[in-house]
Amino acid sequence: MNLEHSIAALATRIRSAASITALTGAGVSAASGVPTFRGSKGLWRNYAPEQLATPEAFREDPRLVWEWYNWRRELIAKCRPNAAHTVLAAWSRRYPRFHLITQNVDGLHELAGTQDVVRFHGSIWEVLCWERCPGSPERWRDDRVPFEEIPPHCPHCSGLIRPGVVWFGEAIDPEVWTRSVEAASCEVFLTAGTSAVVYPAAGLIHEARSRGAFTVEINPDLTPNSGAVDLTIQARAEEVLPAVDSLLLS
Ligand code: OAD
């Protein structure tokens, strides 16, 4: 199917769907200037995310891990939502049973005005006490850019704070997991901008399929999930989503 037909096919599905769920990944923020994780451009000082985004890495070298997050926070603070975020935000307001699950921690979906974002991997703008000291809240927003000191310290116990994101080897928040699985029960489940290699997020599309959803992948590259979905649209999210939306509005 060529691109135009794929876009029309997705619009037709969405038009008649009672419920729609979108799962986004780093590729959706690429056009905003946020680097993706994988691929040579995603690397920071030659470290792969799996080497930095773990409790072990933090325990061993909190300064190194915070330098990476501080670099990402400084970069993201300058980024604005792109056309893909804007369309998904419009759908969250237009369709009563629309759900957005994002693996992105950048906050750009929220900035675009998306309602009830399910933050599968947390937020880079939140922090928590590494020691979980009794005086501190479970997590709190901290948008200082840059931090005056790295690694930054807990205002309650003077120990370290850590980013409010899910690291490799850590469990997804049970409430977030429940909301995500519930959202996988839908008529159209589309993923956009994810390499589909990080589980359990990558498994949600299979969950959706097994619950009868029509599944769609939007990504300029093929992923391990490409062969398993009903429709693969091999193009950029910030081009595909506005094109689908103009058909929906026509
Ligand atoms: P990746 O960096 O693994 O993958 C980004 C995907 O976006 C790739 O498949 C690209 O081909 C695709 N892509 C690039 N530009 C695009 C565009 N304009 N439109 C659509 N797609 C585009 O990012 P994620 O799959 O999100 O985890 O990574 C998953 C998780 O791994 C992240 O949430 C993060 C990371 O470690 C945590 O922070 C826990």
Side-chain angles (χ1 to χ4, degrees), residues 37-38 43 47-57 68 168 197-198:
F37 293 96
R38 292 174 182 79
L43 297 178
Y47 290 99
E50 293 82 354
Q51 290 173 278
L52 296 165
T54 70
E56 292 75 27
W68 183 50
F168 289 96
V197 294
V198 175

Side-chain angles (χ1 to χ4, degrees), residues 49-248:
E50 293 82 354
Q51 290 173 278
L52 296 165
T54 70
E56 292 75 27
F58 189 81
R59 199 170 290 122
E60 208 168 286
D61 196 344
R63 174 183 296 274
L64 175 73
V65 173
W66 261 120
E67 278 174 357
W68 183 50
Y69 280 100
N70 192 53
W71 171 75
R72 288 187 67 83
R73 285 164 59 108
E74 285 193 271
L75 206 150
I76 292 167
K78 298 191 190 92
C79 295
R80 291 291 160 262
N82 65 59
H85 298 108
T86 306
V87 168
L88 293 169
W91 292 356
S92 78
R93 292 187 297 264
R94 193 186 308 155
Y95 302 113
R97 290 184 60 205
F98 176 88
H99 292 101
L100 180 87
I101 307 166
T102 188
Q103 296 169 84
N104 299 345
V105 296
D106 55 31
L108 291 180
H109 284 300
E110 291 89 333
L111 210 56
T114 308
Q115 305 193 336
D116 297 327
V117 177
V118 181
R119 291 191 206 136
F120 203 80
H121 286 158
S123 168
I124 201 164
W125 300 114
E126 288 184 349
V127 296
L128 52 143
C129 176
W130 172 242
E131 303 291 345
R132 313 245 166 166
C133 74
S136 70
E138 201 180 315
R139 51 182 57 229
W140 66 94
R141 191 167 171 97
D142 185 334
D143 35 31
R144 284 177 290 165
V145 171
F147 285 108
E148 306 85 58
E149 49 156 6
I150 290 187
H153 286 86
C154 173
H156 305 278
C157 72
S158 307
L160 294 177
I161 51 172
R162 57 159 282 179
V165 301
V166 178
W167 280 335
F168 289 96
E170 293 184 321
I172 302 300
D173 177 275
E175 193 195 321
V176 165
W177 177 248
T178 304
R179 284 177 74 196
S180 303
V181 172
E182 279 170 9
S185 282
C186 59
E187 284 185 26
V188 175
F189 187 97
L190 68 97
T191 63
T194 176
S195 57
V197 294
V198 175
Y199 277 76
L204 287 171
I205 198 153
H206 305 293
E207 188 73 38
R209 198 147 198 258
S210 70
R211 290 163 182 244
F214 181 81
T215 51
V216 185
E217 178 181 78
I218 302 169
N219 194 317
D221 294 336
L222 294 174
T223 78
N225 279 349
S226 304
V229 298
D230 297 302
L231 177 64
T232 306
I233 307 183
Q234 241 189 297
R236 295 193 179 97
E238 68 276 15
E239 290 165 5
V240 174
L241 292 171
V244 171
D245 198 42
S246 15
L247 289 178
L248 290 171

